Amino acid sequence: MTKTNSTRRLVLTAMFIAIILLQCFVPWLGFIPINPVVNVTIIPFTIALGAMVLGPRIGGLLGLIMGCYSLYNAWTAPVSLGALMFRNPVTAIVPRILIGVIVGMVYMKFVQNRGTGSKAVSLFGLGALAAITNTFFVMTITWVGFNLMHTTYTGLPDNVGIVYLFTGIAGFNAVIEFVVDGFLGLLVATPVLLFLKKYTH
């Protein structure tokens, strides 16, 4: 990699980090409240887009940024079921890192060299994959914590009903985020990737 390309990648990395931080701290940019229960998170799409542009390692770094914010927010925000759950650093950080790693690897291996038409459809799938990855690993880690490790130190009640309640809410959120992130992949990722291609190669 030439010094120019390295500098461009560094600038793009800083740009994506700045966007994610803005989405984390500015209302409606990263979290769209539908009602008091449903809160659609679109930051995973930004992580996924960064992973497609810059690769899975940078994608993992972007996921780490979001995960650290989730952990910080869980300990400073008003107490809620979601806040208590994300006080577990594994739950807050690991799924977000995996978004960038998984989407970046899938894009590089299966999508990057496709034609424009088939790539657009695949980008819808990758946007949806970001939402699925986040929800799947958050729910899985939470289930493991409750059922195998009995980790209730974060303040979550040791009650199986709470697990089912969270699962239902997270599942409903996941359906909405699946559609939203998928369409973001189709409508946003396609032109962005075409525009930025010359800066990353």
Side-chain angles (χ1 to χ4, degrees):
M1 181 183 296
T2 65
K3 183 177 180 180
T4 300
N5 285 338
S6 178
T7 301
R8 287 171 177 169
R9 286 180 60 84
L10 182 62
V11 170
L12 287 171
T13 301
M15 182 189 73
F16 274 103
I17 291 174
I19 291 171
I20 289 173
L21 289 174
L22 281 173
Q23 288 183 300
C24 287
F25 287 102
V26 178
W28 288 90
L29 288 184
F31 303 93
I32 304 174
I34 305 299
N35 59 45
V37 176
V38 178
N39 195 34
V40 177
T41 306
I42 61 174
I43 302 174
F45 166 74
T46 308
I47 297 170
L49 181 58
M52 287 184 254
V53 172
L54 297 164
R57 286 187 297 178
I58 300 300
L61 172 64
L62 299 177
L64 175 64
I65 300 297
M66 180 190 176
C68 289
Y69 169 78
S70 294
L71 183 62
Y72 162 80
N73 187 62
W75 284 99
T76 57
V79 175
S80 66
L81 179 60
L84 291 173
M85 178 188 61
F86 285 114
R87 286 182 179 182
N88 182 342
V90 178
T91 307
I93 295 174
V94 171
R96 279 61 189 273
I97 293 175
L98 290 174
I99 294 170
V101 173
I102 291 173
V103 172
M105 291 178 67
V106 171
Y107 176 78
M108 291 179 63
K109 188 170 181 63
F110 300 107
V111 180
Q112 188 173 26
N113 297 319
R114 288 188 176 184
T116 303
S118 61
K119 181 181 284 189
V121 176
S122 299
L123 292 176
F124 177 94
L126 287 175
L129 178 61
I132 293 170
T133 301
N134 184 50
T135 301
F136 173 79
F137 284 104
V138 166
M139 293 174 66
T140 299
I141 292 170
T142 300
W143 183 89
V144 169
F146 265 98
N147 292 280
L148 300 182
M149 302 176 68
H150 304 289
T151 52
T152 58
Y153 68 92
T154 55
L156 282 169
D158 189 9
N159 186 313
V160 68
I162 297 297
V163 179
Y164 285 115
L165 174 63
F166 163 70
T167 301
I169 294 173
F172 185 70
N173 272 22
V175 173
I176 299 175
E177 290 174 1
F178 177 94
V179 175
V180 172
D181 285 357
F183 276 106
L184 285 173
L186 180 63
L187 300 175
V188 177
T190 302
V192 168
L193 287 169
L194 287 174
F195 178 76
L196 293 179
K197 184 177 181 181
K198 63 180 179 179
Y199 293 105
T200 56
H201 294 282

